[in-house]
Amino acid sequence: MTALQLVWFKRDLRVHDHEPLARAASEGPVHCLYVIEPSLWQAPDSSSAQLAFVLESLRELDRDLRRHGLWLDVQIGEAVEVLAALRARVAIAALWSHQETGNALSFARDRAVAAFCREHGIVWQEFRQHGVVRCLPSRDDWSARWLALMQQSVWRLPAQPQSALAAEVSPLLTQPTVAILRNVSTAGDDKPARQRGGRRAAENVLTSFWRSRLLRYRSGLSSPLTAASSCSRLSSYLAHGVLSLRAVVQGTWALQAELAADPRPGAAHALRQLQAFEERLHWHCHFIQKLESEWQIEQRPVHQGFIGLREAAFDPHRFACWQRGETGLPLVDACMRYLAHTGWLNFRMRAMLVSVASYQLWLHWPPLAQHLAREFLDYEPGIHYPQIQMQSGVTGINVIRLYDPIKQARDQDPQGQFVRRWLPALRRVPDSFLFEPWRMPVSLQQRCGVRIGSDFPAPVVDPGQSLIAARERMYAWRQQVNGSAESARVLEQHGSRWRQRRDVDSRRKRDEQETPHGQLSLQGL
DNA sequence: AGTGCAGTTGACTTT
DNA sequence: TAAAGTCAACTGCAC
């Protein structure tokens, strides 16, 4: 019996550009494993829709592996138990996987696996798949590290990888992978319009973005009406690793190079869109790094001076209204229902949902984070928690952004198509009242066939007053923590160095203008 | 043709 | 990926 190279798939459900798989395959016979871990899928931040997306991706992963003479062994159980059972039957030469920046549960699971490996003398080889650095000493040279990783060439499987004999490994040999997947229940997948998992779907989305949708990227990003087709829509595929971030970055660079050499007038426009997109790929890793560097921020605020800000004031009724899309604020409710239906929402509207919950409704952020984690098909813990905390104003280092849902509606959905589509009760309300239907006189309500308070909820808070109150509370609180050692620590540990660099640049530019030197100073003589 | 003025736009600051 | 306010520059128009 030859010892096998065990490749453990987690949030990296692909064959292309898979470093652990490629390296393991050059070492000896490979066995590919995915573990459906009940403790993770029963956790309050995961949902059946996400599981269904993963199962769809596993099905295609198995198919792609079989094209290379390999196959995917899908096991159900806790990771350490599954590994122990495997080890009882076959010799494991090494465990190969990508590093994962997950939640506290997957972190604990990884520690248990590490202990198991140590105990049994199994070497666990982990590799980076994002521009995220374990045990990052300083944020200062982070961008350079990101660039270096993205510039490395993509990994390919050796031509003829050697598969570990299935008979040796699996007692379920008679049951092909697809049958196992079919038996996993996804009851409760309540998102009829969600994206489908799998490599084929991912490639189609990527291709349509690069071929055409790209051109409306910047202009269509903000409005919920256009975002679904203008945004890249890669997030779910990146979150589950169906696409490799590096491959997307390199594809973006290649297309940029092509466009830079293209003399046609449209090329410059396309190039600008791609630059905006590339910036966001950067931010992707910047945020994940925060959770990697400080895993505790899943539970407590990044800035500990914000402990106590909202906890005691938590109002379960307001929270339930927000969750169900029944706040009585039309754009907020429309967005929540759209999200429940599709598992996706564009960035600006996500920010608005969190802002309204955090400020107007004055809700503590962890319950918001948990609800949205389940709703987002593209839930990526490393992006999720830092983002929610930033939008709810407890990081202490970011500008407080208070969204006015009425202004957002007027800006992003001026004709009210989005609101009317997702809130049929308001379909006949005229534009002038659509975003503040509670202002309608009763006679008008009757004429539009909607009674505010029964057919459509009355607003759960006064949106104007609650916004003003929240602003006052936030600035008072910030005043109090300003200049504290904690503020300096957060900035040092998590702050983007981008702003700093720009400040230096603009200061240099200003200095050059004010005190001309060298040849420039001769110009006026 | 130049001036004054109201209204608009954009860059920047403040909360 | 805020919103509101300030200010200077600009625009169109009347005289």
Side-chain angles (χ1 to χ4, degrees):
Chain A
M1 192 167 73
T2 43
L4 55 83
Q5 309 295 330
L6 184 57
V7 180
W8 180 19
F9 286 84
K10 297 195 276 183
R11 285 174 159 266
D12 49 359
L13 307 180
R14 63 176 182 275
V15 171
H16 181 66
D17 195 25
H18 197 293
E19 183 171 0
L21 176 61
R23 284 189 186 267
S26 62
E27 293 290 320
V30 169
H31 183 66
C32 298
L33 175 70
Y34 183 86
V35 187
I36 299 176
E37 298 160 272
S39 64
L40 295 190
W41 287 107
Q42 284 158 11
D45 62 344
S46 68
S47 62
S48 301
Q50 292 157 0
L51 177 60
F53 184 94
V54 164
L55 296 180
E56 287 156 7
S57 302
L58 292 177
R59 206 161 289 145
E60 290 192 21
L61 175 59
D62 179 55
R63 208 167 64 191
D64 290 345
L65 285 168
R66 283 172 199 269
R67 289 208 178 111
H68 291 92
L70 304 173
W71 62 292
L72 185 65
D73 178 15
V74 176
Q75 300 273 343
I76 301 167
E78 297 309 316
V80 170
E81 291 165 20
V82 168
L83 291 176
L86 252 180
R87 192 185 154 272
R89 289 199 298 277
V90 294
I92 299 171
L95 178 63
W96 304 79
S97 78
H98 275 119
Q99 290 178 357
E100 180 178 356
T101 305
N103 57 13
L105 276 179
S106 71
F107 184 39
R109 183 270 323 265
D110 278 350
R111 279 178 298 190
V113 168
F116 172 85
C117 288
R118 263 197 313 278
E119 191 184 327
H120 298 290
I122 299 168
V123 179
W124 184 8
Q125 306 270 15
E126 285 189 284
F127 302 90
R128 295 167 64 199
Q129 71 163 339
H130 291 144
V132 173
V133 185
R134 284 240 163 124
C135 307
L136 181 69
S138 159
R139 268 277 182 177
D140 288 345
D141 55 350
W142 187 84
S143 282
R145 288 163 180 260
W146 185 89
L147 198 62
L149 187 85
M150 294 305 153
Q151 283 171 332
Q152 282 172 16
S153 45
V154 298
W155 290 85
R156 289 180 198 289
L157 263 179
Q160 291 288 321
Q162 198 188 342
S163 179
L165 281 178
E168 280 180 18
V169 173
S170 176
L172 299 168
L173 184 61
T174 50
Q175 232 185 343
T177 309
V178 281
I180 296 171
L181 292 174
R182 208 176 300 129
N183 284 337
V184 178
S185 166
T186 56
D189 171 14
D190 53 357
K191 307 211 174 304
R194 66 170 171 81
Q195 288 181 307
R196 301 287 120 180
R199 179 76 186 182
R200 238 54 68 213
E203 282 172 355
N204 287 341
V205 170
L206 187 57
T207 307
S208 74
F209 179 59
W210 279 346
R211 291 231 178 106
S212 61
R213 294 188 293 111
L214 171 72
L215 296 175
R216 298 182 306 273
Y217 184 65
R218 290 206 308 184
S219 63
L221 204 59
S222 290
S223 166
L225 282 166
T226 50
S229 62
S230 300
C231 294
S232 79
R233 306 308 308 277
L234 299 179
S235 55
S236 297
Y237 302 104
L238 288 171
H240 297 285
V242 180
L243 293 173
S244 123
L245 183 72
R246 172 166 41 212
V248 173
V249 170
Q250 291 186 2
T252 304
W253 286 342
L255 197 49
Q256 280 175 352
E258 223 175 277
L259 289 165
D262 191 333
R264 286 174 297 175
H269 170 81
L271 191 56
R272 275 196 303 277
Q273 314 304 307
L274 269 187
Q275 280 159 352
F277 174 62
E278 191 196 335
E279 218 169 83
R280 283 174 169 77
L281 293 174
H282 235 99
W283 284 113
H284 169 272
C285 300
H286 168 81
F287 278 96
I288 299 177
Q289 183 69 55
K290 292 172 194 262
L291 187 63
E292 177 61 45
S293 297
E294 201 177 356
W295 61 273
Q296 297 89 336
I297 64 175
E298 180 186 340
Q299 317 280 356
R300 64 153 169 75
V302 169
H303 190 303
Q304 297 189 52
F306 284 82
I307 293 172
L309 175 66
R310 285 185 271 239
E311 292 85 330
F314 187 79
D315 180 335
H317 171 67
R318 288 201 301 254
F319 178 60
C321 289
W322 177 79
Q323 251 183 325
R324 291 196 295 258
E326 295 173 3
T327 64
L329 304 167
L331 186 59
V332 173
D333 294 347
C335 283
M336 201 54 110
R337 292 176 193 199
Y338 174 87
L339 175 61
H341 194 73
T342 65
W344 185 83
L345 193 63
N346 62 319
F347 182 88
R348 180 183 284 271
M349 294 300 110
R350 291 185 193 206
M352 182 192 71
L353 286 184
V354 176
S355 170
V356 168
S358 299
Y359 300 116
Q360 282 92 334
L361 307 185
W362 203 250
L363 297 168
H364 185 36
W365 63 270
L368 314 180
Q370 194 176 93
H371 174 72
L372 292 176
R374 296 170 53 82
E375 289 295 284
F376 293 159
L377 195 60
D378 56 19
Y379 169 51
E380 167 76 61
I383 297 178
H384 194 67
Y385 295 101
Q387 274 289 341
I388 298 267
Q389 290 202 30
M390 194 171 102
Q391 302 298 350
S392 92
V394 296
T395 66
I397 60 170
N398 302 101
V399 183
I400 299 168
R401 295 180 197 280
L402 297 111
Y403 286 70
D404 178 341
I406 299 157
K407 180 183 180 295
Q408 289 298 319
R410 282 197 275 259
D411 290 351
Q412 308 303 334
D413 185 27
Q415 274 94 53
Q417 291 123 294
F418 184 78
V419 163
R420 287 194 181 89
R421 168 143 189 232
W422 294 96
L423 303 174
L426 299 180
R427 209 155 259 175
R428 293 170 55 205
V429 173
D431 285 5
S432 51
F433 286 102
L434 184 62
F435 305 136
E436 300 170 274
W438 58 89
R439 290 194 194 281
M440 272 192 293
V442 175
S443 58
L444 183 57
Q445 293 183 24
Q446 273 164 357
R447 258 178 289 145
C448 323
V450 57
R451 276 200 323 281
I452 300 304
S454 52
D455 304 321
F456 186 80
V460 67
V461 292
D462 179 309
Q465 278 177 13
S466 60
L467 191 62
I468 293 166
R471 181 180 292 123
E472 280 170 9
R473 282 162 149 174
M474 288 308 294
Y475 285 107
W477 196 282
R478 272 190 79 130
Q479 209 66 46
Q480 182 194 310
V481 302
N482 250 359
S484 66
E486 176 68 353
S487 299
R489 178 197 66 85
V490 173
L491 199 59
E492 170 60 28
Q493 186 171 358
H494 296 293
S496 152
R497 301 299 193 254
W498 179 75
R499 165 76 56 182
Q500 218 171 38
R501 205 168 57 238
R502 216 182 56 153
D503 284 354
V504 171
D505 286 351
S506 62
R507 199 179 314 134
R508 196 190 305 131
K509 216 177 276 171
R510 202 173 53 229
D511 290 351
E512 278 168 9
Q513 279 170 3
E514 283 170 5
T515 54
H517 54 272
Q519 296 203 7
L520 279 175
S521 59
L522 299 176
Q523 273 177 346
L525 297 176

